[in-house]
Amino acid sequence: MHMHIQFQLCGLCILILLIIFYKSHTNLPLYKEKLFSAVIRVITISLLADIASLFAIKYRFHLTPTIVHGVCKLYIALLVWGVWSALVYILADMMPQPKHKKFGFWMLILMLFQSTLIFVLPIHIYDRANQVYTYGASVLTVYAFCAIYIIATLIVANRFRTRLNPRRRFAINLWMIFWMTAAGIQFFNNALLLVGFASALGVLVLFTIIENPESNLERKFGCFNSYALSEYLTQLYEDHRRFCLLQISLDNAKAFEDHGINTNDIIRKMIRLCRKEALLFKDVQLSLVLISSDPEPLATSAREIINAFSTSDAFTKSA
């Protein structure tokens, strides 16, 4: 038996690079970002289980049938978890966060039941003529569950398009196309194990189009932008969480320019003076917004900014 794991290794390399890049950026504690992180984890574990299942099949004569079948069933069950996670992810645009959490809990119970069914049903191994794959009632059940979740995801993405972020809808549709194409090819040509790689490509599409942390950043100043501010405030209100907010605005930019002072330099200096305990956003025009659950970092930031600029002629005359 030859292990054809080139596609799985390529997919795993893509996911590792994405995780490194994603974790190297400052991320907002947004609910949808947490869901995306969960999707990455599920797909990564699924790819690892895919590779582990091929090793288990290759060395099955040195292992017990229980272990071999268990590893194979773990992999195909995680395929369903991957498609399930896509549906849960896109539904976050359809309902408020508290309602989505409650709905997600019942979806999790359903997924655990389906996973149990997959583990209970029989599975068989085909390993001949340089081809290796699993088949049986357990595998057919996985195909059925995946088809249901893919269809449900496509219906949600296109039937309720006006309630979804257009970029997220496009990314999800493309991901589902990758999955269906790969599953179709693998169904008719079992030697091409493409489903795991298609999953990794789907996550790459999500990251590139909608979940890139840089899309929330104001690149000129290195803080969060107005879009991130809108998303974060929406989440705070939906969670009914108490928070403190400080807005600092430069209303008279012309006065600074008349004194030969670059307003961008002023904003950068104010950003350096802001306390790191608070989340910092660059709002539209010349405005900074700080948000914290504790008022103390905001009060300290305000005092330091006032003290720093109170002796500035340009600051005084523009007030």
Side-chain angles (χ1 to χ4, degrees):
M1 170 192 166
H2 299 282
M3 288 195 300
H4 300 284
I5 60 174
Q6 298 92 331
F7 290 113
Q8 289 88 339
L9 291 177
C10 288
L12 194 58
C13 289
I14 290 173
L15 290 175
I16 290 174
L17 289 174
L18 281 182
I19 292 171
I20 293 173
F21 188 77
Y22 190 73
K23 295 298 183 182
S24 66
H25 285 69
T26 302
N27 294 304
L28 269 178
L30 292 174
Y31 181 62
K32 291 173 186 175
E33 289 193 3
K34 293 178 181 178
L35 289 177
F36 178 68
S37 296
V39 170
I40 292 180
R41 288 195 293 270
V42 169
I43 300 302
T44 303
I45 295 172
S46 175
L47 267 174
L48 291 172
D50 189 0
I51 296 172
S53 68
L54 292 174
F55 274 97
I57 291 173
K58 181 177 181 179
Y59 298 104
R60 64 187 181 279
F61 299 112
H62 304 281
L63 302 170
T64 64
T66 302
I67 293 177
V68 175
H69 290 170
V71 173
C72 292
K73 288 180 179 180
L74 174 64
Y75 161 58
I76 61 175
L78 285 170
L79 286 178
V80 185
W81 278 85
V83 190
W84 171 88
S85 68
L87 177 60
V88 173
Y89 170 78
I90 196 172
L91 284 172
D93 271 359
M94 298 287 298
M95 57 189 74
Q97 181 180 328
K99 186 176 180 181
H100 184 270
K101 284 183 175 180
K102 188 177 297 184
F103 182 80
F105 172 78
W106 291 112
M107 287 284 289
L108 178 62
I109 297 298
L110 175 62
M111 190 66 249
L112 290 173
F113 170 77
Q114 292 173 339
S115 299
T116 302
L117 182 61
I118 291 168
F119 274 92
V120 169
L121 292 173
I123 192 172
H124 307 286
I125 298 171
Y126 181 92
D127 182 12
R128 296 177 189 172
N130 204 26
Q131 286 191 355
V132 55
Y133 59 89
T134 54
Y135 65 98
S138 183
V139 177
L140 291 176
T141 302
V142 167
Y143 272 107
F145 287 155
C146 285
I148 291 171
Y149 284 124
I150 289 175
I151 292 171
T153 302
L154 290 173
I155 290 174
V156 170
N158 297 283
R159 175 66 178 83
F160 304 100
R161 61 176 59 198
T162 58
R163 298 171 61 182
L164 296 174
N165 183 314
R167 293 169 63 83
R168 184 171 283 111
R169 185 182 72 249
F170 173 75
I172 287 290
N173 280 331
L174 199 55
W175 187 8
M176 294 301 104
I177 291 172
F178 286 160
W179 241 328
M180 290 187 294
T181 303
I185 293 173
Q186 187 168 321
F187 184 80
F188 292 104
N189 188 345
N190 301 112
L192 293 175
L193 306 178
L194 296 173
V195 173
F197 181 66
S199 302
L201 282 182
V203 174
L204 176 62
V205 168
L206 284 179
F207 179 85
T208 304
I209 295 178
I210 193 70
E211 295 294 350
N212 190 335
E214 289 194 355
S215 64
N216 288 330
L217 295 178
E218 184 71 37
R219 296 184 181 182
K220 185 185 294 185
F221 301 108
C223 58
F224 295 113
N225 56 25
S226 58
Y227 172 78
L229 175 62
S230 175
E231 289 287 306
Y232 188 59
L233 286 176
T234 299
Q235 177 172 301
L236 290 175
Y237 282 116
E238 286 182 351
D239 290 349
H240 302 290
R241 288 166 56 187
R242 299 183 62 183
F243 63 93
C244 303
L245 184 147
L246 171 66
Q247 183 174 21
I248 308 168
S249 299
L250 300 180
D251 295 327
N252 194 354
K254 189 176 183 303
F256 291 100
E257 295 171 358
D258 290 342
H259 285 79
I261 298 175
N262 191 321
T263 53
N264 289 336
D265 293 337
I266 294 177
I267 292 176
R268 291 190 182 95
K269 183 175 181 179
M270 288 194 295
I271 289 174
R272 290 195 296 269
L273 294 170
C274 290
R275 302 286 294 181
K276 302 302 181 184
E277 294 87 345
L279 292 173
L280 178 62
F281 302 83
K282 169 65 172 59
D283 202 2
V284 293
Q285 298 179 348
L286 301 176
S287 176
L288 293 177
V289 175
L290 284 82
I291 298 178
S292 173
S293 58
D294 181 7
E296 184 56 33
L298 306 188
T300 303
S301 299
R303 284 195 299 270
E304 291 184 1
I305 290 173
I306 291 173
N307 291 336
F309 286 96
S310 60
T311 58
S312 169
D313 291 339
F315 184 84
T316 304
K317 292 179 181 179
S318 65

